[in-house]
Amino acid sequence: KIFEYMATERPILGIMPGGEASRILADYPLAQCVDTNDTAGIVAWLQRMLGDKIEPVVDVSAALYPYLPATLRELSHRG
């Protein structure tokens, strides 16, 4: 799929750990790869690509926390 995405000649944000896919995308000038935990990198890329088109997002994670299954709550505390 990566080569099909590259053939579109559009920007690509690869959210993935390092590996073969990130090495392939490193050679594509319109791509950027960020680690799955790099939320700041993801936000920065989206801001660069979308600029003023981004609407502010309200963080509802605290409000939803009590409704998460116990296993997801446990995972959210692992660092």
Side-chain angles (χ1 to χ4, degrees):
K1 283 287 185 191
I2 292 173
F3 296 108
E4 287 88 352
Y5 294 146
M6 292 167 66
T8 67
E9 297 183 0
R10 300 187 70 187
I12 298 172
L13 174 61
I15 303 172
M16 63 187 78
E20 185 64 23
S22 62
R23 285 190 289 279
I24 292 169
L25 289 175
D27 292 332
Y28 180 63
L30 296 176
Q32 179 178 347
C33 290
V34 295
D35 189 79
T36 54
N37 296 318
D38 185 5
T39 54
I42 296 167
V43 169
W45 187 88
L46 290 171
Q47 287 174 330
R48 279 194 313 278
M49 292 297 118
L50 300 176
D52 295 334
K53 297 175 188 172
I54 296 177
E55 294 289 326
V57 175
V58 177
D59 182 5
V60 296
S61 58
L64 295 176
Y65 183 81
Y67 302 102
L68 292 175
T71 53
L72 290 178
R73 286 197 304 264
E74 181 182 311
L75 288 173
S76 70
H77 288 294
R78 293 183 183 173

